[in-house]
Amino acid sequence: MERRELFSSLASSFNKEARDETKNNILLRPPYFQNESDFHKECINCNGKCSNFCEEHIIKIGEDKTPYLDFTNSGCTYCDECAKACEYEVLNIEHKKQINAKISIDIIKCLSWNQTMCFSCKDPCLDDAIEFLGMFRPQIIDDKCTSCGFCIKACPTQAIEIKIIEQG
Ligand code: SF4
Ligand code: SF4
Ligand code: SF4
């Protein structure tokens, strides 16, 4: 299989996994929420204001009118603007400043772990949360990772995984 074909096949399997997560109604939410149930109670009365205020354009509004994050093109700068815009206090800057996800590297898909030099994820990580053991074994340090998502699109093989943590 050509390298490009390999990447494309890995990308389509990643997208399938993302859809499967959505099917189970477990969504990656914007930061600053406290209870998952608040989205379903309050967001139906809103016109998706948080989405309009996100300069990174990562907040999408689902068919159920609740917001979710899409890291396909960018990540979260924790700029607070979505929380400031939320009139219903579903998002509130007083709540925890963390996205409900654990980010990790799939060593089967990662080029470096398979002996092909690649540092693509390292530079976009402003929190310096991706450390390489030697030249070929990148790892995400949980204590440093803010789940901002900026490393996701940088990875040519979609090896960076998002595991959504259920909250509230
Ligand atoms: S601004 Fe608040 S109420 Fe409106 S969609 Fe966003 S989170 Fe929901
Ligand atoms: S904190 Fe800023 S970048 Fe992150 S989702 Fe909210 S508006 Fe977008
Ligand atoms: S999600 Fe974590 S590892 Fe990735 S860029 Fe953000 S802080 Fe770094």
Side-chain angles (χ1 to χ4, degrees):
M1 191 186 280
E2 297 268 330
R3 211 168 133 105
R4 186 185 294 272
E5 284 170 19
L6 171 69
F7 290 165
S8 142
S9 123
L10 289 172
S12 72
S13 84
F14 171 81
N15 288 336
K16 181 178 177 307
E17 282 161 27
R19 276 200 305 275
D20 286 348
E21 296 254 46
T22 309
K23 204 165 65 189
N24 293 332
N25 283 332
I26 307 169
L27 293 174
L28 189 61
R29 298 298 190 185
Y32 315 103
F33 78 95
Q34 196 157 36
N35 296 305
E36 170 68 28
S37 58
D38 291 341
F39 289 108
H40 305 284
K41 269 190 253 157
E42 306 290 353
C43 300
I44 46 170
N45 303 309
C46 178
N47 59 0
K49 227 172 154 193
C50 53
S51 170
N52 299 332
F53 277 75
C54 179
E55 289 189 354
E56 299 298 327
H57 307 292
I58 58 171
I59 304 184
K60 312 290 177 197
I61 304 296
E63 282 176 17
D64 64 357
K65 296 195 80 184
T66 70
Y68 65 93
L69 295 184
D70 177 355
F71 287 147
T72 308
N73 297 312
S74 193
C76 175
T77 58
Y78 290 99
C79 67
D80 299 349
E81 293 303 322
C82 52
K84 286 190 203 157
C86 180
E87 290 170 17
Y88 295 87
E89 298 195 0
V90 176
L91 309 179
N92 184 326
I93 43 176
E94 311 223 323
H95 297 159
K96 201 165 171 233
K97 197 173 179 149
Q98 182 80 28
I99 289 166
N100 61 325
K102 178 176 165 28
I103 311 294
S104 59
I105 294 174
D106 181 342
I107 63 173
I108 309 275
K109 292 182 187 171
C110 171
L111 292 177
S112 276
W113 275 91
N114 290 284
Q115 308 301 312
T116 300
M117 202 173 284
C118 173
F119 297 98
S120 301
C121 57
K122 193 167 171 55
D123 280 351
C125 181
L126 301 182
D127 298 289
D128 205 19
I130 303 182
E131 288 181 4
F132 279 69
L133 297 173
M135 298 287 275
F136 292 111
R137 286 172 294 156
Q139 288 187 344
I140 294 181
I141 310 300
D142 288 345
D143 288 348
K144 290 186 176 177
C145 177
T146 60
S147 309
C148 69
F150 278 105
C151 54
I152 308 264
K153 80 161 185 175
C155 175
T157 57
Q158 283 79 37
I160 301 185
E161 297 195 320
I162 311 170
K163 184 171 188 302
I164 298 168
I165 301 164
E166 284 187 74
Q167 190 176 317

